Amino acid sequence: MVDSVTSVFDELVAAGPPDAGTPLFDTACVLGGSVAGLLAARVLSDHARRVVVVERDNLDGAVAIRAGVPQVQQVHALVPAGLQWIERWLPGFTQDAQDKGAVLGAPAQVLITHDGSYRPSGSVAHSLLTAGRPFLEARLREAVTALPNVSVLRARVAGLEYRDDAVSAVRYVGDEPGVLAADFVVDAMGRGSRLAKWLEQDGFDKPAVERLQSPINYATALFERPERAVDLEVSTALGTFTPQYGADGVSIATVSAVEDEQWIVMLVGFGEDRPGATTDEFRKVCAGMPQIWREATKGAVTRDVVTYRQADSRRRDFVGANRLPARLVAVGDAVASFNPIYGQGMSSAALHASCLSRYLVGGHRFDSPATAFFDLQQVVVDAAWAVSAGGDTARLDALNGTDVPEDVRRRRWALEQIMTAAMSDSTVAQAFNNVSFMLRHPDTLADPALLERAVAVIKRQL
Ligand SMILES: Cc1cc2nc3c(=O)[nH]c(=O)nc-3n(C[C@H](O)[C@H](O)[C@H](O)COP(=O)(O)OP(=O)(O)OC[C@H]3O[C@@H](n4cnc5c(N)ncnc54)[C@H](O)[C@@H]3O)c2cc1C
C-alpha cells in the first residue's frame, strides 16, 4: 500500500456516500442484521438493486433484547468515529435518537477520572451520544430498513453456494429451507460466525484465528434518573481505578445518561474480579467511588444487574488466506472482536463499511477474491487491535512479571507518559482521545513533539 496507514485511516474515518452510486449488483446479501450488517447494508444500498439482510433473530418490536447478541444488555459506547460515520450515511440519525430519548452530551458534560482525580475540562473535544445498545440498534434498523431497496429476511444462514469460484447464493433455514441467489455477500454474523468453517468445508482457505486471552467481567444495571437531560452537569463518566484506590476489584466503571430518564452504570473487573453481581453489591461498590456513581445508583433500579464475561480478543486473518471465493467479504466482529472496554466494536464496523464503500467504487473486478477490500480493512483491524491488545498485553505482562523486549518496553513507556500527562494537559488528552475515539490512527501518538510535551508536563508536576 503506497499511502501511509495514518492517511488511509483518516480517509476511512472521513468517508461519505458516493455522489452517485454505481449499480454493480442485482442482489447483495448481508448475513446478520446487527450493527455491522446494517451499516454494510447502507453502503450496499448505493450499489445493488436490492439488499437482503438475513437475520435469525426476530427483530419485531422497537427495542429488541435478543438471543443472537447476548452482549446488548451491557453498556455500549458509540465513540465519535462511529457516530460521525452514521450521521454522514444516515443523516438525521442523531436528532432522531435524541428525540426518542438518547442524550447528546456536550464535551463539558463528559467526565474522566483516574483513582478519583479528574481530567481537566477541555480534554474531551467531542459530543457523545449515549443510549442503551438495543435502543441504538433499533434506531439504526429503522433508518436502514426505511431505504427502499433494503429488506430483512428472517432466517438462519446455513451455508454458501458457488459458481466459478465466486459466491453465487446463500442457503438458509427460515419457515422453510431456501436458497437466495446473490451477486455479492457480506458476512456480518458476529464473533461466532461459521463462515471460516464453511469456507474450509467448501475447499477454500480457512482464515487463521489469533486470540489474546484477557478475561473481563462486566456488570451493568439501570437506575431511574430524576434530572432531565438538559439539566445534567455530567452526561457520561469514565473512571479507571488501581487496586490502591480500593474499588472492590473494579478496574473500570462508567455511568451514562440514557433513554427513558435512566442512568446506565457499568462496573468492570479483570480475571477473577467479578464486581457487583447483585444490586446490593453493586450499590455498595459504587458508594466507594466518585460522586457521579454514588448519585446515579441512588434511584430505583429499572433493570437489575446483568453480568457478562468475555474470555478473549480475537481476529481472523482474511489477508493471509490464499484461496478465498470472489464476491465475498466479512465485516464487524466476524473479522475482529476486541476487549469491549475500549468501545471499538460498533465504530470498527462503521470503518469496515467505509472499506466496503471504497472497494465498491474502486473499479475492482468481482471475478477474483476481494483482496483489495481485506487489505484496506486490515488497516482498521490493526489500529483497533493495537489499542486493545496493546493495553491488554501490557497489563498481563506487568501482572506476570514477563521480560519484554526493549522496543516494546520503550513504546509502552511512551504511551504511559502520554496517558499520565493526559490527566492534566488538555492537548495531550485530546490527542489520546482522538485515538480512543477511533478518529486518528494510534501511530499518531508516536509523534515526538507530543511525547516531549507529555514528558515536560509530568516533570513540571514532580
Ligand atoms: C460486553 C460487551 C460490551 C461491548 N461494548 C461495546 C461498546 O461500548 N462500544 C462498541 O462500539 N462496541 C462494544 N461491544 C462490541 C459490539 O457489541 C459489537 O462490535 C457490535 O455488536 C457489532 O457486532 P456485529 O454486528 O459484527 O456482530 P453482532 O452484534 O454479534 O451480531 C451478529 C448478528 O448476526 C446474527 N447471526 C449470527 N449467526 C447467524 C446465522 N447463521 N444466520 C442469521 N443470522 C445470524 C446474530 O443474530 C446477530 O444479529 C461490546 C461487546 C461486548 C461483548
Side-chain angles (χ1 to χ4, degrees), residues 258-269:
V258 296
E259 69 277 6
D260 299 330
E261 276 79 41
Q262 299 173 96
W263 288 113
I264 189 163
V265 184
M266 175 197 79
L267 306 178
V268 166

PDB file of all heavy atoms in Angstrom, residues 258-269:
ATOM      1  N   VAL A 258     -29.112   7.769  29.741  1.00  0.00           N
ATOM      2  CA  VAL A 258     -29.664   7.140  28.531  1.00  0.00           C
ATOM      3  C   VAL A 258     -31.174   7.381  28.453  1.00  0.00           C
ATOM      4  O   VAL A 258     -31.742   8.091  29.301  1.00  0.00           O
ATOM      5  CB  VAL A 258     -29.336   5.620  28.478  1.00  0.00           C
ATOM      6  CG1 VAL A 258     -27.833   5.391  28.377  1.00  0.00           C
ATOM      7  CG2 VAL A 258     -29.913   4.881  29.686  1.00  0.00           C
ATOM      8  N   GLU A 259     -31.790   6.785  27.447  1.00  0.00           N
ATOM      9  CA  GLU A 259     -33.216   6.991  27.166  1.00  0.00           C
ATOM     10  C   GLU A 259     -34.097   6.644  28.378  1.00  0.00           C
ATOM     11  O   GLU A 259     -33.675   5.929  29.275  1.00  0.00           O
ATOM     12  CB  GLU A 259     -33.639   6.133  25.947  1.00  0.00           C
ATOM     13  CG  GLU A 259     -33.660   4.621  26.175  1.00  0.00           C
ATOM     14  CD  GLU A 259     -32.300   3.951  26.026  1.00  0.00           C
ATOM     15  OE1 GLU A 259     -31.294   4.645  25.854  1.00  0.00           O
ATOM     16  OE2 GLU A 259     -32.265   2.696  26.105  1.00  0.00           O
ATOM     17  N   ASP A 260     -35.311   7.144  28.358  1.00  0.00           N
ATOM     18  CA  ASP A 260     -36.310   6.886  29.391  1.00  0.00           C
ATOM     19  C   ASP A 260     -35.850   7.342  30.777  1.00  0.00           C
ATOM     20  O   ASP A 260     -36.105   6.665  31.790  1.00  0.00           O
ATOM     21  CB  ASP A 260     -36.690   5.389  29.445  1.00  0.00           C
ATOM     22  CG  ASP A 260     -37.283   4.919  28.133  1.00  0.00           C
ATOM     23  OD1 ASP A 260     -37.910   5.751  27.446  1.00  0.00           O
ATOM     24  OD2 ASP A 260     -37.104   3.743  27.784  1.00  0.00           O
ATOM     25  N   GLU A 261     -35.144   8.479  30.821  1.00  0.00           N
ATOM     26  CA  GLU A 261     -34.670   9.048  32.094  1.00  0.00           C
ATOM     27  C   GLU A 261     -34.009   7.996  32.982  1.00  0.00           C
ATOM     28  O   GLU A 261     -34.426   7.737  34.107  1.00  0.00           O
ATOM     29  CB  GLU A 261     -35.808   9.733  32.862  1.00  0.00           C
ATOM     30  CG  GLU A 261     -36.086  11.148  32.441  1.00  0.00           C
ATOM     31  CD  GLU A 261     -36.903  11.204  31.159  1.00  0.00           C
ATOM     32  OE1 GLU A 261     -37.825  10.396  31.039  1.00  0.00           O
ATOM     33  OE2 GLU A 261     -36.581  12.036  30.285  1.00  0.00           O
ATOM     34  N   GLN A 262     -32.982   7.355  32.420  1.00  0.00           N
ATOM     35  CA  GLN A 262     -32.252   6.344  33.203  1.00  0.00           C
ATOM     36  C   GLN A 262     -30.754   6.656  33.181  1.00  0.00           C
ATOM     37  O   GLN A 262     -30.261   7.322  32.274  1.00  0.00           O
ATOM     38  CB  GLN A 262     -32.445   4.962  32.582  1.00  0.00           C
ATOM     39  CG  GLN A 262     -33.885   4.480  32.523  1.00  0.00           C
ATOM     40  CD  GLN A 262     -33.962   3.189  31.750  1.00  0.00           C
ATOM     41  OE1 GLN A 262     -33.958   2.113  32.337  1.00  0.00           O
ATOM     42  NE2 GLN A 262     -34.020   3.259  30.442  1.00  0.00           N
ATOM     43  N   TRP A 263     -30.083   6.131  34.190  1.00  0.00           N
ATOM     44  CA  TRP A 263     -28.625   6.032  34.182  1.00  0.00           C
ATOM     45  C   TRP A 263     -28.281   4.583  33.884  1.00  0.00           C
ATOM     46  O   TRP A 263     -28.877   3.678  34.476  1.00  0.00           O
ATOM     47  CB  TRP A 263     -28.036   6.354  35.558  1.00  0.00           C
ATOM     48  CG  TRP A 263     -28.065   7.776  36.009  1.00  0.00           C
ATOM     49  CD1 TRP A 263     -28.789   8.282  37.041  1.00  0.00           C
ATOM     50  CD2 TRP A 263     -27.300   8.863  35.477  1.00  0.00           C
ATOM     51  NE1 TRP A 263     -28.533   9.624  37.194  1.00  0.00           N
ATOM     52  CE2 TRP A 263     -27.617  10.010  36.242  1.00  0.00           C
ATOM     53  CE3 TRP A 263     -26.373   8.988  34.435  1.00  0.00           C
ATOM     54  CZ2 TRP A 263     -27.048  11.260  36.002  1.00  0.00           C
ATOM     55  CZ3 TRP A 263     -25.819  10.239  34.196  1.00  0.00           C
ATOM     56  CH2 TRP A 263     -26.146  11.345  34.970  1.00  0.00           C
ATOM     57  N   ILE A 264     -27.313   4.372  32.987  1.00  0.00           N
ATOM     58  CA  ILE A 264     -26.777   3.014  32.834  1.00  0.00           C
ATOM     59  C   ILE A 264     -25.407   3.032  33.499  1.00  0.00           C
ATOM     60  O   ILE A 264     -24.587   3.925  33.241  1.00  0.00           O
ATOM     61  CB  ILE A 264     -26.732   2.567  31.351  1.00  0.00           C
ATOM     62  CG1 ILE A 264     -26.386   1.082  31.248  1.00  0.00           C
ATOM     63  CG2 ILE A 264     -25.760   3.387  30.504  1.00  0.00           C
ATOM     64  CD1 ILE A 264     -26.706   0.459  29.893  1.00  0.00           C
ATOM     65  N   VAL A 265     -25.187   2.090  34.394  1.00  0.00           N
ATOM     66  CA  VAL A 265     -23.953   2.084  35.189  1.00  0.00           C
ATOM     67  C   VAL A 265     -23.254   0.741  34.986  1.00  0.00           C
ATOM     68  O   VAL A 265     -23.893  -0.317  35.057  1.00  0.00           O
ATOM     69  CB  VAL A 265     -24.261   2.290  36.694  1.00  0.00           C
ATOM     70  CG1 VAL A 265     -22.962   2.382  37.494  1.00  0.00           C
ATOM     71  CG2 VAL A 265     -25.101   3.542  36.908  1.00  0.00           C
ATOM     72  N   MET A 266     -21.967   0.801  34.716  1.00  0.00           N
ATOM     73  CA  MET A 266     -21.213  -0.423  34.439  1.00  0.00           C
ATOM     74  C   MET A 266     -19.986  -0.515  35.335  1.00  0.00           C
ATOM     75  O   MET A 266     -19.287   0.474  35.550  1.00  0.00           O
ATOM     76  CB  MET A 266     -20.764  -0.401  32.989  1.00  0.00           C
ATOM     77  CG  MET A 266     -19.866  -1.555  32.621  1.00  0.00           C
ATOM     78  SD  MET A 266     -18.987  -1.215  31.080  1.00  0.00           S
ATOM     79  CE  MET A 266     -17.683  -0.151  31.649  1.00  0.00           C
ATOM     80  N   LEU A 267     -19.736  -1.716  35.849  1.00  0.00           N
ATOM     81  CA  LEU A 267     -18.520  -1.988  36.622  1.00  0.00           C
ATOM     82  C   LEU A 267     -17.774  -3.113  35.917  1.00  0.00           C
ATOM     83  O   LEU A 267     -18.392  -4.100  35.503  1.00  0.00           O
ATOM     84  CB  LEU A 267     -18.873  -2.444  38.043  1.00  0.00           C
ATOM     85  CG  LEU A 267     -19.804  -1.523  38.850  1.00  0.00           C
ATOM     86  CD1 LEU A 267     -20.099  -2.153  40.219  1.00  0.00           C
ATOM     87  CD2 LEU A 267     -19.180  -0.133  39.014  1.00  0.00           C
ATOM     88  N   VAL A 268     -16.458  -2.976  35.817  1.00  0.00           N
ATOM     89  CA  VAL A 268     -15.676  -3.997  35.117  1.00  0.00           C
ATOM     90  C   VAL A 268     -14.489  -4.435  35.971  1.00  0.00           C
ATOM     91  O   VAL A 268     -13.789  -3.601  36.554  1.00  0.00           O
ATOM     92  CB  VAL A 268     -15.148  -3.433  33.767  1.00  0.00           C
ATOM     93  CG1 VAL A 268     -14.060  -4.320  33.190  1.00  0.00           C
ATOM     94  CG2 VAL A 268     -16.280  -3.300  32.768  1.00  0.00           C
ATOM     95  N   GLY A 269     -14.286  -5.746  36.021  1.00  0.00           N
ATOM     96  CA  GLY A 269     -13.098  -6.290  36.687  1.00  0.00           C
ATOM     97  C   GLY A 269     -12.397  -7.257  35.746  1.00  0.00           C
ATOM     98  O   GLY A 269     -13.027  -7.833  34.857  1.00  0.00           O
TER      99      GLY A 269
END
